[in-house]
Amino acid sequence: MTGILQRGFKAGLSLSWTLGKVIFPVTLIVTILRFTPILGWLIDLLSPMMKWIGLSGEAAVPLVLGNLLNLYAGIGAIVSFDFSVKQVFIMAVMMSFSHNLLIESTVASKVGVSWWIVVGVRVSLALVSALLINLFWKGGGELAQYGLISKAEQVPETWTGIFAQGLQTAAMGVLQLALIVIPLMVFMQFFRELGWMDKLSNWFAPFTRLLGMEKNASMTLVAGLTLGLAYGAGLMIQAVKEDGVSKKDMYLALIFLVSCHAVVEDTLVFVPLGIPVWPLLAIRLVTAVLLTAAIAYFWNRAESRQRKEPAHEHSYDSL
């Protein structure tokens, strides 16, 4: 048990260092850019489009960084601005559906799913969810509180002060990240080494059938749900090779996972931003289940019609 704990702690430190190398410079750069004309030009350019989904022009910065890089880069940009709870929640939902597109699209292509399907589904879900939240949620107008990350009440008057403020904001962001990631990786280490992932795969089998997939796709879903598309890529590829997952089931599994993957990590990382995370998790799960079940239903119907057509043609030939 001590060995597992040590390996989990070591993995948590390693991951915190890896992710910290992203979130620290991004937060520092964005904080500094706030006091230059560059970010203002970008905000003015994108502000008209952002209004359609209930966001200000500043929101374009974390959304772009989150999609091109990862959630941590997006979060690093969010904490550099003042947003309302509703705005942060909309961005959190959007980035939960659509983040790290370059890397995760490549992962999807390695397991046999076209990259453009992954990108199209994720971006569409992000935009539609933002439109619906902005339309139906009338609350959340209060200013979001970013946990340990404090905001300077006065604008720094010198470049040294601006740089110092950026360093402080970035350091606190990495600290909060480590406080979440390290315990999470310790738990995941126990989860893997004690064989709980195999048990969860068996328990998950009825759910995979509900989504229109065979039981042998359950390990793929478990890997993606717990580790994410990027971290769980190895287990997913292994499941495809060893468990003989069909092309249809892999497409359905990936469609589910692009909507809802790494559910623990991708939900907890938003806790420091002061938003309700349970609705965030519920939106992802419900969307993933409904979307995957609907696609599986129409896919199975199409396959059923294709099987019937040759039979009809044969019967006509016999006449």
Side-chain angles (χ1 to χ4, degrees):
M1 297 292 284
T2 303
I4 298 177
L5 182 63
Q6 291 176 343
R7 286 188 291 273
F9 186 79
K10 183 179 179 180
L13 285 177
S14 176
L15 182 58
S16 296
W17 171 251
T18 300
L19 299 176
K21 288 187 293 185
V22 174
I23 193 172
F24 187 92
V26 168
T27 305
L28 177 60
I29 292 170
V30 172
T31 301
I32 294 174
L33 286 178
R34 290 181 61 197
F35 303 98
T36 69
I38 298 175
L39 207 55
W41 295 335
L42 178 62
I43 290 169
D44 291 339
L45 178 65
L46 297 176
S47 288
M49 291 178 281
M50 292 292 101
K51 290 179 180 178
W52 286 97
I53 52 178
L55 298 175
S56 59
E58 291 93 336
V61 179
L63 289 178
V64 169
L65 291 174
N67 277 271
L68 293 182
L69 297 175
N70 49 48
L71 282 176
Y72 305 96
I75 292 172
I78 287 176
V79 302
S80 302
F81 297 97
D82 289 316
F83 292 113
S84 69
V85 172
K86 181 177 180 178
Q87 289 175 324
V88 175
F89 185 76
I90 289 175
M91 286 186 285
V93 173
M94 291 185 72
M95 288 194 295
S96 293
F97 284 130
S98 178
H99 62 267
N100 202 10
L101 292 179
L102 298 178
I103 294 176
E104 293 183 350
S105 297
T106 303
V107 170
S109 66
K110 289 184 179 180
V111 296
V113 179
S114 300
W115 69 269
W116 63 268
I117 292 180
V118 179
V119 173
V121 170
R122 300 182 74 182
V123 172
S124 298
L125 289 175
L127 292 174
V128 171
S129 63
L131 286 169
L132 293 176
I133 293 170
N134 182 47
L135 180 63
F136 291 107
W137 188 20
K138 303 304 180 183
E142 65 275 14
L143 194 65
Q145 301 297 322
Y146 300 138
L148 295 178
I149 302 172
S150 59
K151 290 288 183 181
E153 295 182 358
Q154 297 181 349
V155 177
E157 298 180 356
T158 64
W159 282 108
T160 302
I162 293 172
F163 187 75
Q165 180 178 319
L167 286 176
Q168 180 183 5
T169 304
M172 294 306 295
V174 173
L175 174 60
Q176 264 192 162
L177 174 71
L179 292 176
I180 293 173
V181 168
I182 292 176
L184 175 63
M185 293 307 295
V186 170
F187 172 78
M188 292 305 302
Q189 195 71 30
F190 278 97
F191 192 81
R192 286 192 294 265
E193 295 197 22
L194 296 181
W196 295 345
M197 183 166 286
D198 292 332
K199 294 179 181 179
L200 185 58
S201 178
N202 292 329
W203 296 339
F204 221 72
F207 183 66
T208 59
R209 287 192 290 268
L210 176 66
L211 294 176
M213 292 174 276
E214 299 297 328
K215 179 182 177 181
N216 58 2
S218 58
M219 179 57 77
T220 301
L221 287 179
V222 171
L225 278 171
T226 56
L227 301 177
L229 285 178
Y231 298 151
L235 285 176
M236 292 173 68
I237 295 171
Q238 183 180 6
V240 174
K241 293 180 179 179
E242 297 183 359
D243 300 337
V245 179
S246 67
K247 182 179 179 180
K248 183 193 79 170
D249 286 355
M250 179 48 57
Y251 266 83
L252 292 176
L254 262 295
I255 288 171
F256 181 88
L257 291 175
V258 296
S259 307
C260 186
H261 58 267
V263 290
V264 177
E265 176 189 351
D266 286 2
T267 302
L268 290 180
V269 293
F270 288 108
V271 170
L273 298 183
I275 60 172
V277 293
W278 285 112
L280 172 64
L281 177 60
I283 289 172
R284 296 183 70 195
L285 283 172
V286 171
T287 300
V289 170
L290 294 179
L291 179 63
T292 307
I295 293 175
Y297 173 76
F298 289 109
W299 195 323
N300 290 333
R301 285 192 61 181
E303 286 185 340
S304 178
R305 285 197 299 269
Q306 289 178 355
R307 286 193 296 267
K308 290 179 180 179
E309 287 176 0
H312 289 313
E313 292 175 0
H314 180 73
S315 62
Y316 293 150
D317 293 339
S318 64
L319 295 176

